[in-house]
Amino acid sequence: QVSLQESGPRLVKPSETLSLTCIVSGGSITSYWWSWIRQPAGQGLEWIGRIYSTGNTNYNPSLKSRVTMSVDTSKDQISLKLSAVTAADTAVYYCARGGGVHHYWGQGTLVTVSS
Amino acid sequence: DIVLTQSPDTLSLSPGERATLSCRASQSISGSFLAWYQHKPGQTPRLLIYGASNRATGIPDRFSGSGSGTDFTLTIGRLEPEDFAVYYCHHYGSPPFTFGQGTRLAIK
């Protein structure tokens, strides 16, 4: 059974960089798209972007200037970096397998931006 | 970018009733690359429908999806208590992908 687990700092200061890792177990990371999706408190889901196992990426235009995704197939993990964060970036961040159809999701991790 | 508008924002129904949720796209979604997710508080979103009308593995047949182009519908045949949640449509035809704002299905 495929399992995804997000990890990273739960509290980030304004203007700093949010960094999250998603570790994949129970299945190969290769030959799949992997996506990051977030949900601010009380709001809906927002697509952040996706990365293929070879490193090809697509990002949400509204976040593109601040987002970097990477993949490490040797460690079966994908990573998300979001720079210059503000309070508006406070959200539950999910990783999910697939570029658009997400059968498998991580449990999500709440990241709070606050000084 | 394709904007997805869901209606209604909130739908209040009783168990046993039929639910019809709408998702309208600002432009045609090629290939019917439209999915529906169910999301309950504190839980992971659950894929219900992909390709506009294909049920995901393990999804009960009371859930059905239909539509093409710019208009899509999720129908829940007879509501069970566990069906009350927020439902999102999601297009994945060509990036950037987007989600609808969600429809909250509430117990009447």
Side-chain angles (χ1 to χ4, degrees), chain B residues 52-96:
Chain B
S53 62
N54 301 291
R55 263 190 306 278
T57 302
I59 301 304
D61 60 8
R62 64 180 182 275
F63 291 92
S64 63
S66 62
S68 63
T70 60
D71 290 294
F72 298 87
T73 300
L74 174 70
T75 301
I76 310 173
R78 281 179 58 87
L79 286 166
E80 297 287 343
E82 62 267 26
D83 297 336
F84 293 91
V86 178
Y87 291 82
Y88 295 95
C89 58
H90 174 52
H91 100 83
Y92 57 96
S94 60

Side-chain angles (χ1 to χ4, degrees), chain A residues 56-72:
Chain A
N56 292 345
T57 56
N58 299 109
Y59 298 143
N60 185 326
S62 68
L63 301 170
K64 187 175 184 177
S65 63
R66 299 193 292 128
V67 170
T68 303
M69 295 182 185
S70 59
V71 59
D72 187 336

Side-chain angles (χ1 to χ4, degrees), chain A residues 5-36:
Chain A
Q5 180 65 57
E6 303 93 347
S7 63
R10 301 296 194 263
L11 181 64
V12 182
K13 290 182 169 55
S15 80
E16 295 189 346
T17 296
L18 178 159
S19 295
L20 293 174
T21 297
C22 176
I23 296 175
V24 180
S25 58
S28 174
I29 201 169
T30 58
S31 302
Y32 286 102
W33 286 97
W34 301 88
S35 298
W36 289 94

Side-chain angles (χ1 to χ4, degrees), chain A residues 37 39 43-47 50 58-62 94 99-108, chain B residues 1 35 37 39 42-47 50-51 56-57 88 90 92 95-101:
Chain A
I37 294 156
Q39 183 178 34
Q43 298 184 40
L45 299 172
E46 180 181 26
W47 183 75
R50 64 176 186 172
N58 299 109
Y59 298 143
N60 185 326
S62 68
Y94 296 97
V101 178
H102 308 298
H103 295 270
Y104 300 102
W105 295 66
Q107 286 302 304
Chain B
D1 300 0
Y37 292 88
H39 197 193
Q43 296 187 20
T44 291
R46 179 191 184 196
L47 175 67
Y50 63 95
T57 302
Y88 295 95
H90 174 52
Y92 57 96
F97 303 152
T98 52
F99 288 89
Q101 84 280 11

